[in-house]
mmCIF file of all heavy atoms in Angstrom:
data_model
loop_
_atom_site.group_PDB
_atom_site.id
_atom_site.type_symbol
_atom_site.label_atom_id
_atom_site.label_comp_id
_atom_site.label_asym_id
_atom_site.label_seq_id
_atom_site.Cartn_x
_atom_site.Cartn_y
_atom_site.Cartn_z
ATOM 1 N N PHE A 22 0.857 -1.193 0.000
ATOM 2 C CA PHE A 22 0.000 0.000 0.000
ATOM 3 C C PHE A 22 0.888 1.236 0.000
ATOM 4 O O PHE A 22 1.259 1.743 1.047
ATOM 5 C CB PHE A 22 -0.920 0.006 1.223
ATOM 6 C CG PHE A 22 -1.873 -1.138 1.251
ATOM 7 C CD1 PHE A 22 -1.549 -2.308 1.918
ATOM 8 C CD2 PHE A 22 -3.093 -1.073 0.597
ATOM 9 C CE1 PHE A 22 -2.405 -3.388 1.937
ATOM 10 C CE2 PHE A 22 -3.970 -2.149 0.610
ATOM 11 C CZ PHE A 22 -3.624 -3.301 1.280
ATOM 12 N N MET A 23 1.214 1.682 -1.191
ATOM 13 C CA MET A 23 2.100 2.838 -1.306
ATOM 14 C C MET A 23 1.482 3.864 -2.228
ATOM 15 O O MET A 23 0.738 3.529 -3.156
ATOM 16 C CB MET A 23 3.468 2.421 -1.837
ATOM 17 C CG MET A 23 4.233 1.552 -0.874
ATOM 18 S SD MET A 23 6.002 1.828 -0.970
ATOM 19 C CE MET A 23 6.129 3.518 -0.389
ATOM 20 N N GLY A 24 1.821 5.111 -1.963
ATOM 21 C CA GLY A 24 1.272 6.161 -2.789
ATOM 22 C C GLY A 24 2.127 7.400 -2.815
ATOM 23 O O GLY A 24 3.062 7.543 -2.023
ATOM 24 N N TRP A 25 1.801 8.260 -3.750
ATOM 25 C CA TRP A 25 2.398 9.596 -3.831
ATOM 26 C C TRP A 25 1.283 10.616 -3.621
ATOM 27 O O TRP A 25 0.207 10.507 -4.225
ATOM 28 C CB TRP A 25 3.036 9.818 -5.198
ATOM 29 C CG TRP A 25 4.331 9.107 -5.395
ATOM 30 C CD1 TRP A 25 4.526 7.893 -5.987
ATOM 31 C CD2 TRP A 25 5.625 9.568 -5.005
ATOM 32 N NE1 TRP A 25 5.859 7.566 -5.981
ATOM 33 C CE2 TRP A 25 6.552 8.587 -5.391
ATOM 34 C CE3 TRP A 25 6.095 10.722 -4.372
ATOM 35 C CZ2 TRP A 25 7.927 8.719 -5.164
ATOM 36 C CZ3 TRP A 25 7.459 10.855 -4.145
ATOM 37 C CH2 TRP A 25 8.354 9.857 -4.531
ATOM 38 N N TYR A 26 1.577 11.573 -2.773
ATOM 39 C CA TYR A 26 0.671 12.679 -2.519
ATOM 40 C C TYR A 26 1.422 13.968 -2.842
ATOM 41 O O TYR A 26 2.653 13.977 -2.941
ATOM 42 C CB TYR A 26 0.236 12.698 -1.048
ATOM 43 C CG TYR A 26 -0.705 11.590 -0.659
ATOM 44 C CD1 TYR A 26 -0.261 10.268 -0.552
ATOM 45 C CD2 TYR A 26 -2.042 11.849 -0.374
ATOM 46 C CE1 TYR A 26 -1.126 9.245 -0.189
ATOM 47 C CE2 TYR A 26 -2.916 10.838 -0.012
ATOM 48 C CZ TYR A 26 -2.452 9.542 0.086
ATOM 49 O OH TYR A 26 -3.314 8.543 0.447
ATOM 50 N N ARG A 27 0.681 15.051 -2.954
ATOM 51 C CA ARG A 27 1.322 16.342 -3.161
ATOM 52 C C ARG A 27 0.540 17.426 -2.438
ATOM 53 O O ARG A 27 -0.658 17.295 -2.209
ATOM 54 C CB ARG A 27 1.465 16.669 -4.645
ATOM 55 C CG ARG A 27 0.140 16.948 -5.361
ATOM 56 C CD ARG A 27 0.385 17.125 -6.852
ATOM 57 N NE ARG A 27 -0.852 17.395 -7.579
ATOM 58 C CZ ARG A 27 -0.922 17.470 -8.907
ATOM 59 N NH1 ARG A 27 0.166 17.289 -9.658
ATOM 60 N NH2 ARG A 27 -2.081 17.714 -9.487
ATOM 61 N N GLN A 28 1.282 18.473 -2.100
ATOM 62 C CA GLN A 28 0.664 19.610 -1.434
ATOM 63 C C GLN A 28 1.211 20.885 -2.043
ATOM 64 O O GLN A 28 2.412 21.173 -1.934
ATOM 65 C CB GLN A 28 0.914 19.591 0.067
ATOM 66 C CG GLN A 28 0.148 20.648 0.822
ATOM 67 C CD GLN A 28 0.137 20.410 2.315
ATOM 68 O OE1 GLN A 28 0.932 19.638 2.856
ATOM 69 N NE2 GLN A 28 -0.785 21.049 3.013
ATOM 70 N N ALA A 29 0.326 21.630 -2.686
ATOM 71 C CA ALA A 29 0.697 22.909 -3.275
ATOM 72 C C ALA A 29 0.515 24.003 -2.232
ATOM 73 O O ALA A 29 -0.253 23.841 -1.270
ATOM 74 C CB ALA A 29 -0.167 23.181 -4.504
ATOM 75 N N PRO A 30 1.193 25.122 -2.399
ATOM 76 C CA PRO A 30 1.064 26.221 -1.434
ATOM 77 C C PRO A 30 -0.393 26.638 -1.255
ATOM 78 O O PRO A 30 -1.109 26.862 -2.237
ATOM 79 C CB PRO A 30 1.880 27.338 -2.073
ATOM 80 C CG PRO A 30 2.883 26.638 -2.922
ATOM 81 C CD PRO A 30 2.175 25.425 -3.453
ATOM 82 N N GLY A 31 -0.827 26.690 -0.005
ATOM 83 C CA GLY A 31 -2.180 27.124 0.294
ATOM 84 C C GLY A 31 -3.255 26.098 0.048
ATOM 85 O O GLY A 31 -4.445 26.396 0.183
ATOM 86 N N LYS A 32 -2.846 24.888 -0.302
ATOM 87 C CA LYS A 32 -3.824 23.840 -0.596
ATOM 88 C C LYS A 32 -3.606 22.642 0.313
ATOM 89 O O LYS A 32 -2.549 22.480 0.925
ATOM 90 C CB LYS A 32 -3.737 23.412 -2.061
ATOM 91 C CG LYS A 32 -4.127 24.513 -3.047
ATOM 92 C CD LYS A 32 -4.204 23.975 -4.456
ATOM 93 C CE LYS A 32 -4.673 25.046 -5.428
ATOM 94 N NZ LYS A 32 -4.776 24.517 -6.825
ATOM 95 N N GLU A 33 -4.617 21.785 0.369
ATOM 96 C CA GLU A 33 -4.512 20.578 1.167
ATOM 97 C C GLU A 33 -3.727 19.511 0.414
ATOM 98 O O GLU A 33 -3.650 19.523 -0.825
ATOM 99 C CB GLU A 33 -5.910 20.046 1.509
ATOM 100 C CG GLU A 33 -6.711 20.965 2.423
ATOM 101 C CD GLU A 33 -8.025 20.344 2.867
ATOM 102 O OE1 GLU A 33 -8.364 19.262 2.355
ATOM 103 O OE2 GLU A 33 -8.696 20.925 3.726
ATOM 104 N N ARG A 34 -3.173 18.584 1.184
ATOM 105 C CA ARG A 34 -2.469 17.469 0.571
ATOM 106 C C ARG A 34 -3.473 16.594 -0.176
ATOM 107 O O ARG A 34 -4.558 16.311 0.327
ATOM 108 C CB ARG A 34 -1.741 16.657 1.645
ATOM 109 C CG ARG A 34 -0.767 15.651 1.110
ATOM 110 C CD ARG A 34 0.042 15.009 2.230
ATOM 111 N NE ARG A 34 0.852 15.994 2.944
ATOM 112 C CZ ARG A 34 1.788 15.671 3.844
ATOM 113 N NH1 ARG A 34 2.022 14.407 4.124
ATOM 114 N NH2 ARG A 34 2.474 16.608 4.445
ATOM 115 N N GLU A 35 -3.077 16.160 -1.371
ATOM 116 C CA GLU A 35 -3.993 15.361 -2.182
ATOM 117 C C GLU A 35 -3.272 14.133 -2.733
ATOM 118 O O GLU A 35 -2.061 14.162 -2.960
ATOM 119 C CB GLU A 35 -4.548 16.185 -3.353
ATOM 120 C CG GLU A 35 -3.501 16.663 -4.342
ATOM 121 C CD GLU A 35 -4.103 17.385 -5.541
ATOM 122 O OE1 GLU A 35 -5.331 17.514 -5.623
ATOM 123 O OE2 GLU A 35 -3.308 17.809 -6.408
ATOM 124 N N LEU A 36 -4.054 13.089 -2.961
ATOM 125 C CA LEU A 36 -3.500 11.875 -3.548
ATOM 126 C C LEU A 36 -3.201 12.113 -5.021
ATOM 127 O O LEU A 36 -4.034 12.619 -5.768
ATOM 128 C CB LEU A 36 -4.485 10.719 -3.399
ATOM 129 C CG LEU A 36 -4.107 9.415 -4.082
ATOM 130 C CD1 LEU A 36 -2.891 8.777 -3.417
ATOM 131 C CD2 LEU A 36 -5.290 8.441 -4.077
ATOM 132 N N VAL A 37 -2.008 11.713 -5.432
ATOM 133 C CA VAL A 37 -1.624 11.771 -6.842
ATOM 134 C C VAL A 37 -1.803 10.408 -7.493
ATOM 135 O O VAL A 37 -2.430 10.275 -8.539
ATOM 136 C CB VAL A 37 -0.169 12.238 -6.990
ATOM 137 C CG1 VAL A 37 0.258 12.196 -8.449
ATOM 138 C CG2 VAL A 37 0.016 13.631 -6.406
ATOM 139 N N ALA A 38 -1.243 9.390 -6.842
ATOM 140 C CA ALA A 38 -1.324 8.035 -7.380
ATOM 141 C C ALA A 38 -1.010 7.050 -6.267
ATOM 142 O O ALA A 38 -0.273 7.389 -5.337
ATOM 143 C CB ALA A 38 -0.345 7.840 -8.539
ATOM 144 N N ASN A 39 -1.565 5.855 -6.358
ATOM 145 C CA ASN A 39 -1.159 4.813 -5.432
ATOM 146 C C ASN A 39 -1.083 3.478 -6.145
ATOM 147 O O ASN A 39 -1.615 3.305 -7.237
ATOM 148 C CB ASN A 39 -2.037 4.738 -4.181
ATOM 149 C CG ASN A 39 -3.489 4.455 -4.484
ATOM 150 O OD1 ASN A 39 -3.843 4.023 -5.583
ATOM 151 N ND2 ASN A 39 -4.362 4.685 -3.519
ATOM 152 N N ILE A 40 -0.358 2.578 -5.522
ATOM 153 C CA ILE A 40 -0.193 1.238 -6.062
ATOM 154 C C ILE A 40 -0.406 0.275 -4.915
ATOM 155 O O ILE A 40 0.214 0.396 -3.860
ATOM 156 C CB ILE A 40 1.187 1.065 -6.730
ATOM 157 C CG1 ILE A 40 1.339 -0.338 -7.325
ATOM 158 C CG2 ILE A 40 2.330 1.409 -5.795
ATOM 159 C CD1 ILE A 40 2.521 -0.459 -8.292
ATOM 160 N N VAL A 41 -1.320 -0.677 -5.122
ATOM 161 C CA VAL A 41 -1.706 -1.564 -4.032
ATOM 162 C C VAL A 41 -1.685 -3.014 -4.499
ATOM 163 O O VAL A 41 -1.779 -3.295 -5.702
ATOM 164 C CB VAL A 41 -3.111 -1.207 -3.491
ATOM 165 C CG1 VAL A 41 -3.122 0.204 -2.942
ATOM 166 C CG2 VAL A 41 -4.171 -1.374 -4.572
ATOM 167 N N GLY A 42 -1.542 -3.899 -3.533
ATOM 168 C CA GLY A 42 -1.598 -5.319 -3.822
ATOM 169 C C GLY A 42 -0.585 -5.751 -4.865
ATOM 170 O O GLY A 42 0.601 -5.410 -4.796
ATOM 171 N N ASN A 43 -1.069 -6.490 -5.844
ATOM 172 C CA ASN A 43 -0.197 -7.027 -6.889
ATOM 173 C C ASN A 43 0.096 -6.047 -8.012
ATOM 174 O O ASN A 43 0.650 -6.452 -9.038
ATOM 175 C CB ASN A 43 -0.805 -8.292 -7.469
ATOM 176 C CG ASN A 43 -0.763 -9.443 -6.483
ATOM 177 O OD1 ASN A 43 0.149 -9.520 -5.667
ATOM 178 N ND2 ASN A 43 -1.740 -10.316 -6.548
ATOM 179 N N GLY A 44 -0.269 -4.811 -7.805
ATOM 180 C CA GLY A 44 0.057 -3.808 -8.799
ATOM 181 C C GLY A 44 -1.114 -3.011 -9.312
ATOM 182 O O GLY A 44 -1.014 -2.379 -10.366
ATOM 183 N N ILE A 45 -2.189 -3.006 -8.583
ATOM 184 C CA ILE A 45 -3.337 -2.184 -8.983
ATOM 185 C C ILE A 45 -2.981 -0.721 -8.745
ATOM 186 O O ILE A 45 -2.530 -0.354 -7.648
ATOM 187 C CB ILE A 45 -4.586 -2.564 -8.181
ATOM 188 C CG1 ILE A 45 -4.948 -4.032 -8.447
ATOM 189 C CG2 ILE A 45 -5.748 -1.643 -8.527
ATOM 190 C CD1 ILE A 45 -6.042 -4.557 -7.558
ATOM 191 N N VAL A 46 -3.168 0.090 -9.761
ATOM 192 C CA VAL A 46 -2.790 1.496 -9.660
ATOM 193 C C VAL A 46 -4.013 2.386 -9.795
ATOM 194 O O VAL A 46 -4.979 2.048 -10.470
ATOM 195 C CB VAL A 46 -1.738 1.874 -10.720
ATOM 196 C CG1 VAL A 46 -0.449 1.093 -10.494
ATOM 197 C CG2 VAL A 46 -2.269 1.634 -12.124
ATOM 198 N N ASN A 47 -3.938 3.508 -9.134
ATOM 199 C CA ASN A 47 -4.993 4.511 -9.205
ATOM 200 C C ASN A 47 -4.340 5.873 -9.349
ATOM 201 O O ASN A 47 -3.278 6.122 -8.768
ATOM 202 C CB ASN A 47 -5.834 4.499 -7.921
ATOM 203 C CG ASN A 47 -6.515 3.172 -7.693
ATOM 204 O OD1 ASN A 47 -7.465 2.816 -8.362
ATOM 205 N ND2 ASN A 47 -6.001 2.410 -6.727
ATOM 206 N N TYR A 48 -4.990 6.744 -10.116
ATOM 207 C CA TYR A 48 -4.454 8.074 -10.371
ATOM 208 C C TYR A 48 -5.526 9.127 -10.148
ATOM 209 O O TYR A 48 -6.710 8.908 -10.419
ATOM 210 C CB TYR A 48 -3.952 8.192 -11.811
ATOM 211 C CG TYR A 48 -2.806 7.284 -12.140
ATOM 212 C CD1 TYR A 48 -3.025 6.056 -12.755
ATOM 213 C CD2 TYR A 48 -1.494 7.643 -11.840
ATOM 214 C CE1 TYR A 48 -1.976 5.207 -13.055
ATOM 215 C CE2 TYR A 48 -0.432 6.805 -12.140
ATOM 216 C CZ TYR A 48 -0.684 5.597 -12.742
ATOM 217 O OH TYR A 48 0.373 4.755 -13.037
ATOM 218 N N ALA A 49 -5.084 10.283 -9.688
ATOM 219 C CA ALA A 49 -5.974 11.438 -9.680
ATOM 220 C C ALA A 49 -6.296 11.796 -11.125
ATOM 221 O O ALA A 49 -5.457 11.643 -12.022
ATOM 222 C CB ALA A 49 -5.300 12.609 -8.975
ATOM 223 N N ASN A 50 -7.501 12.282 -11.346
ATOM 224 C CA ASN A 50 -7.911 12.626 -12.715
ATOM 225 C C ASN A 50 -6.957 13.643 -13.349
ATOM 226 O O ASN A 50 -6.700 13.596 -14.553
ATOM 227 C CB ASN A 50 -9.336 13.180 -12.713
ATOM 228 C CG ASN A 50 -10.370 12.099 -12.473
ATOM 229 O OD1 ASN A 50 -10.138 10.921 -12.761
ATOM 230 N ND2 ASN A 50 -11.509 12.475 -11.935
ATOM 231 N N SER A 51 -6.421 14.526 -12.536
ATOM 232 C CA SER A 51 -5.582 15.598 -13.058
ATOM 233 C C SER A 51 -4.243 15.105 -13.604
ATOM 234 O O SER A 51 -3.576 15.840 -14.335
ATOM 235 C CB SER A 51 -5.342 16.642 -11.967
ATOM 236 O OG SER A 51 -4.697 16.048 -10.854
ATOM 237 N N VAL A 52 -3.850 13.877 -13.255
ATOM 238 C CA VAL A 52 -2.542 13.391 -13.706
ATOM 239 C C VAL A 52 -2.643 12.158 -14.590
ATOM 240 O O VAL A 52 -1.614 11.661 -15.084
ATOM 241 C CB VAL A 52 -1.615 13.091 -12.510
ATOM 242 C CG1 VAL A 52 -1.508 14.299 -11.592
ATOM 243 C CG2 VAL A 52 -2.071 11.862 -11.737
ATOM 244 N N LYS A 53 -3.833 11.650 -14.792
ATOM 245 C CA LYS A 53 -4.002 10.463 -15.645
ATOM 246 C C LYS A 53 -3.400 10.703 -17.020
ATOM 247 O O LYS A 53 -3.533 11.787 -17.584
ATOM 248 C CB LYS A 53 -5.481 10.114 -15.767
ATOM 249 C CG LYS A 53 -6.035 9.360 -14.571
ATOM 250 C CD LYS A 53 -7.498 9.000 -14.786
ATOM 251 C CE LYS A 53 -8.042 8.257 -13.576
ATOM 252 N NZ LYS A 53 -9.484 7.940 -13.724
ATOM 253 N N ALA A 54 -2.758 9.691 -17.539
ATOM 254 C CA ALA A 54 -2.110 9.709 -18.857
ATOM 255 C C ALA A 54 -0.823 10.534 -18.877
ATOM 256 O O ALA A 54 -0.133 10.578 -19.893
ATOM 257 C CB ALA A 54 -3.054 10.211 -19.948
ATOM 258 N N ARG A 55 -0.490 11.171 -17.766
ATOM 259 C CA ARG A 55 0.775 11.933 -17.694
ATOM 260 C C ARG A 55 1.746 11.345 -16.675
ATOM 261 O O ARG A 55 2.960 11.406 -16.864
ATOM 262 C CB ARG A 55 0.487 13.397 -17.339
ATOM 263 C CG ARG A 55 -0.364 14.132 -18.344
ATOM 264 C CD ARG A 55 -0.405 15.634 -18.053
ATOM 265 N NE ARG A 55 -0.991 15.932 -16.759
ATOM 266 C CZ ARG A 55 -0.352 16.605 -15.784
ATOM 267 N NH1 ARG A 55 0.886 17.047 -15.979
ATOM 268 N NH2 ARG A 55 -0.963 16.859 -14.631
ATOM 269 N N PHE A 56 1.225 10.807 -15.590
ATOM 270 C CA PHE A 56 2.066 10.260 -14.526
ATOM 271 C C PHE A 56 1.936 8.744 -14.485
ATOM 272 O O PHE A 56 0.862 8.201 -14.773
ATOM 273 C CB PHE A 56 1.634 10.818 -13.168
ATOM 274 C CG PHE A 56 1.929 12.273 -12.945
ATOM 275 C CD1 PHE A 56 2.332 13.112 -13.963
ATOM 276 C CD2 PHE A 56 1.782 12.816 -11.669
ATOM 277 C CE1 PHE A 56 2.591 14.450 -13.748
ATOM 278 C CE2 PHE A 56 2.036 14.153 -11.425
ATOM 279 C CZ PHE A 56 2.435 14.973 -12.482
ATOM 280 N N THR A 57 3.026 8.091 -14.089
ATOM 281 C CA THR A 57 3.009 6.642 -13.942
ATOM 282 C C THR A 57 3.691 6.261 -12.636
ATOM 283 O O THR A 57 4.830 6.653 -12.389
ATOM 284 C CB THR A 57 3.741 5.961 -15.104
ATOM 285 O OG1 THR A 57 3.147 6.354 -16.354
ATOM 286 C CG2 THR A 57 3.653 4.440 -14.970
ATOM 287 N N ILE A 58 2.986 5.499 -11.810
ATOM 288 C CA ILE A 58 3.560 5.000 -10.565
ATOM 289 C C ILE A 58 4.015 3.564 -10.785
ATOM 290 O O ILE A 58 3.358 2.788 -11.486
ATOM 291 C CB ILE A 58 2.543 5.093 -9.401
ATOM 292 C CG1 ILE A 58 3.213 4.750 -8.071
ATOM 293 C CG2 ILE A 58 1.313 4.225 -9.650
ATOM 294 C CD1 ILE A 58 2.333 5.034 -6.848
ATOM 295 N N SER A 59 5.167 3.236 -10.210
ATOM 296 C CA SER A 59 5.675 1.873 -10.325
ATOM 297 C C SER A 59 6.432 1.521 -9.051
ATOM 298 O O SER A 59 6.746 2.397 -8.236
ATOM 299 C CB SER A 59 6.572 1.714 -11.556
ATOM 300 O OG SER A 59 7.690 2.575 -11.478
ATOM 301 N N ARG A 60 6.745 0.244 -8.934
ATOM 302 C CA ARG A 60 7.331 -0.237 -7.687
ATOM 303 C C ARG A 60 8.386 -1.287 -8.006
ATOM 304 O O ARG A 60 8.176 -2.141 -8.869
ATOM 305 C CB ARG A 60 6.215 -0.848 -6.830
ATOM 306 C CG ARG A 60 6.580 -1.372 -5.480
ATOM 307 C CD ARG A 60 5.327 -1.867 -4.765
ATOM 308 N NE ARG A 60 4.743 -3.008 -5.463
ATOM 309 C CZ ARG A 60 3.477 -3.411 -5.297
ATOM 310 N NH1 ARG A 60 2.670 -2.761 -4.485
ATOM 311 N NH2 ARG A 60 3.028 -4.448 -5.962
ATOM 312 N N ASP A 61 9.501 -1.212 -7.302
ATOM 313 C CA ASP A 61 10.558 -2.220 -7.405
ATOM 314 C C ASP A 61 10.695 -2.857 -6.034
ATOM 315 O O ASP A 61 11.359 -2.310 -5.145
ATOM 316 C CB ASP A 61 11.868 -1.579 -7.859
ATOM 317 C CG ASP A 61 12.964 -2.599 -8.109
ATOM 318 O OD1 ASP A 61 12.910 -3.707 -7.520
ATOM 319 O OD2 ASP A 61 13.892 -2.294 -8.874
ATOM 320 N N ASN A 62 10.056 -4.006 -5.857
ATOM 321 C CA ASN A 62 10.060 -4.639 -4.533
ATOM 322 C C ASN A 62 11.460 -5.052 -4.089
ATOM 323 O O ASN A 62 11.783 -5.004 -2.900
ATOM 324 C CB ASN A 62 9.133 -5.852 -4.540
ATOM 325 C CG ASN A 62 7.675 -5.453 -4.639
ATOM 326 O OD1 ASN A 62 7.275 -4.391 -4.175
ATOM 327 N ND2 ASN A 62 6.873 -6.305 -5.249
ATOM 328 N N ALA A 63 12.280 -5.439 -5.034
ATOM 329 C CA ALA A 63 13.634 -5.885 -4.685
ATOM 330 C C ALA A 63 14.472 -4.748 -4.110
ATOM 331 O O ALA A 63 15.367 -4.969 -3.290
ATOM 332 C CB ALA A 63 14.319 -6.468 -5.906
ATOM 333 N N LYS A 64 14.174 -3.533 -4.537
ATOM 334 C CA LYS A 64 14.940 -2.376 -4.068
ATOM 335 C C LYS A 64 14.144 -1.547 -3.065
ATOM 336 O O LYS A 64 14.601 -0.474 -2.656
ATOM 337 C CB LYS A 64 15.330 -1.503 -5.265
ATOM 338 C CG LYS A 64 16.275 -2.187 -6.236
ATOM 339 C CD LYS A 64 16.668 -1.250 -7.357
ATOM 340 C CE LYS A 64 17.645 -1.934 -8.317
ATOM 341 N NZ LYS A 64 18.046 -1.039 -9.439
ATOM 342 N N ASN A 65 12.962 -2.035 -2.668
ATOM 343 C CA ASN A 65 12.115 -1.288 -1.720
ATOM 344 C C ASN A 65 11.938 0.159 -2.162
ATOM 345 O O ASN A 65 12.057 1.093 -1.351
ATOM 346 C CB ASN A 65 12.707 -1.345 -0.311
ATOM 347 C CG ASN A 65 12.572 -2.714 0.314
ATOM 348 O OD1 ASN A 65 11.732 -3.520 -0.090
ATOM 349 N ND2 ASN A 65 13.405 -3.005 1.290
#
C-alpha cells in the first residue's frame, strides 16, 4: 500500500497516485495519462 501525494502552497495534501496489492494502480484525474507510478520490490 504505497502512494504519492502532493501539497501545493495554500492547498490541502492530495493523492496523486497509489499502487496496491499485486500492482493495482490509481491516479488522480488531473494526472491520468501523464504520470506513472511503479514499484521495485527488490529495491524497496
Side-chain angles (χ1 to χ4, degrees):
F22 297 93
M23 293 213 66
W25 285 95
Y26 289 72
R27 69 186 180 186
Q28 187 166 16
K32 295 188 177 181
E33 294 186 353
R34 192 173 298 190
E35 63 176 0
L36 174 68
V37 176
N39 60 16
I40 181 166
V41 299
N43 290 329
I45 299 172
V46 297
N47 299 287
Y48 296 96
N50 287 334
S51 60
V52 306
K53 280 182 181 178
R55 298 190 298 122
F56 290 12
T57 303
I58 188 171
S59 61
R60 182 177 65 199
D61 185 335
N62 290 330
K64 295 183 179 180
N65 289 339

